[in-house]
């Protein structure tokens, strides 16, 4: 029994964005299409960039004809695409499924939902300035990160920032302070900022002023120390 359990654990897991799982219905993807996308992700994370139809058939309950139809629909509607790449070791050309179009559509759908939510809030409470300001804050926070990174945020980055505010309860000004701290040391990465916020949480830091004092002491005590290193 133990050996079977170990074998199951060694199979690993497939990482799928929670935002994608929440939004795919809104994006007009069917359950079959989403399941096929999940299998493509699984194959990619196993190192197989271009699974054959037979390999996909072995994992799915779709008929071969239905599988081909679903795959063609995803390609035609530009949810996914097939790219060519050259193996640097062998020099051979290979094909691979590229899911970047899917994530671009996910990002656009998320922004549209956010905008629609803000419009509804403004109509429901046209004279409540505080409520209107609150509705604009999330978009402003994401925009500040996009400006700092110099590019649109990825679904993973969007989800991480959402968790900081909704799940961890970090004040938005504190999150922006962590963003500035990361920029000051030239490490504008979402995981690095997450480490900063985690360290501040451990130190029970809840205000911008406390964060600034701690960061100042942190650098004075060990100028070369990194937030990714244990304290």
């Amino acid at each position: 029994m133990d050996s079977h359990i170990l074998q199951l654990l060694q199979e690993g897991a497939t990482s799928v964005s929670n935002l994608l799982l929440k939004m795919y219905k809104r994006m007009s993807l069917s359950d079959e299409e989403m399941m096929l996308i999940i299998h493509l992700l699984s194959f990619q994370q196993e190192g197989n960039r271009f699974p054959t139809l037979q390999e996909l058939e072995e994992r799915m309950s779709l008929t071969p004809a239905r599988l081909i139809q679903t795959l063609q629909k995803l390609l035609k509607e530009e949810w996914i695409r097939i790219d060519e790449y050259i193996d640097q070791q062998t020099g051979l050309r290979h094909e691979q499924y590229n899911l970047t179009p899917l994530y671009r559509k996910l990002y656009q759908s998320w922004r549209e939902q956010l905008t629609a939510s803000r419009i509804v809030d403004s109509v429901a409470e046209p004279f409540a300035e505080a409520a209107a300001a609150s509705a604009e804050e999330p978009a402003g926070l994401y925009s500040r990160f996009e400006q700092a990174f110099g590019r649109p945020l990825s679904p993973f980055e969007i989800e991480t920032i959402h968790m900081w505010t909704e799940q961890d309860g970090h004040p938005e000004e504190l999150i922006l302070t962590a963003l500035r701290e990361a920029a000051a040391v030239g490490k504008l990465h979402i995981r690095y900022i997450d480490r900063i916020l985690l360290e501040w949480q451990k130190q029970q830091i809840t205000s911008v002023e406390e964060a600034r004092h701690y960061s100042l002491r942190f650098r004075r005590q060990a100028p070369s120390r990194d937030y990714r290193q244990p304290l």
Side-chain angles (χ1 to χ4, degrees):
M1 178 67 73
D2 290 344
S3 62
H4 292 306
I5 294 175
L6 180 61
Q7 184 179 358
L8 288 172
L9 292 174
Q10 289 174 338
E11 285 291 326
T14 298
S15 176
V16 182
S17 166
N18 284 336
L19 186 62
L20 178 58
L21 293 176
K22 293 174 183 176
M23 297 287 292
Y24 81 88
K25 180 180 178 182
R26 176 185 174 85
M27 295 161 66
S28 299
L29 282 168
S30 69
D31 291 345
E32 285 182 353
E33 292 163 350
M34 186 62 214
M35 199 66 228
L36 178 53
I37 287 170
I38 290 174
H39 281 298
L40 291 177
L41 282 169
S42 177
F43 274 111
Q44 283 190 353
Q45 292 173 27
E46 292 170 6
N48 184 349
R49 301 182 180 184
F50 197 66
T52 64
L53 289 174
Q54 182 178 353
E55 288 173 324
L56 289 168
E57 286 173 19
E58 290 173 355
R59 295 193 179 185
M60 301 189 68
S61 59
L62 297 179
T63 63
R66 182 61 180 169
L67 175 60
I68 292 172
Q69 182 183 12
T70 304
L71 192 57
Q72 288 177 338
K73 184 171 182 288
L74 290 175
L75 289 165
K76 182 179 179 181
E77 295 183 0
E78 297 183 345
W79 293 98
I80 62 175
R81 68 170 185 258
I82 297 176
D83 292 343
E84 278 193 353
Y85 73 97
I86 299 176
D87 190 311
Q88 298 299 323
Q89 295 182 341
T90 65
L92 297 176
R93 290 182 178 273
H94 298 277
E95 292 181 322
Q96 65 180 7
Y97 286 109
N98 188 334
L99 274 66
T100 300
L102 169 70
Y103 288 114
R104 293 188 185 281
K105 288 176 183 285
L106 174 62
Y107 177 76
Q108 182 62 33
S109 182
W110 174 84
R111 292 302 295 264
E112 288 173 359
Q113 184 185 51
L114 183 64
T115 301
S117 176
R118 291 168 61 192
I119 291 173
V120 169
D121 288 344
S122 65
V123 171
E125 300 183 42
F127 302 108
E129 295 183 1
S134 176
E136 293 174 359
E137 281 176 0
L141 182 62
Y142 295 117
S143 297
R144 293 286 289 275
F145 271 81
E146 288 181 339
Q147 291 171 7
F149 288 1
R151 57 170 174 77
L153 296 173
S154 70
F156 171 76
E157 291 167 337
I158 292 170
E159 189 173 351
T160 301
I161 296 172
H162 178 75
M163 289 179 63
W164 289 340
T165 58
E166 298 300 321
Q167 181 173 313
D168 299 331
H170 294 306
E172 293 187 10
E173 191 56 42
L174 193 65
I175 294 172
L176 291 174
T177 302
L179 173 63
R180 288 189 286 269
E181 176 73 12
V185 296
K187 295 175 180 175
L188 277 173
H189 307 292
I190 204 76
R191 293 190 184 277
Y192 187 77
I193 298 169
D194 189 54
R195 287 287 302 174
I196 294 175
L197 290 169
L198 179 61
E199 175 59 27
W200 289 350
Q201 190 175 47
K202 288 179 180 178
Q203 301 297 326
Q204 297 183 335
I205 292 171
T206 58
S207 71
V208 172
E209 194 64 26
E210 290 173 340
R212 288 172 178 166
H213 285 308
Y214 179 79
S215 296
L216 188 60
R217 293 197 308 271
F218 186 88
R219 286 194 291 266
R220 283 177 177 173
Q221 292 172 1
S224 61
R225 178 173 285 177
D226 192 291
Y227 273 99
R228 291 171 296 188
Q229 299 170 346
L231 299 179

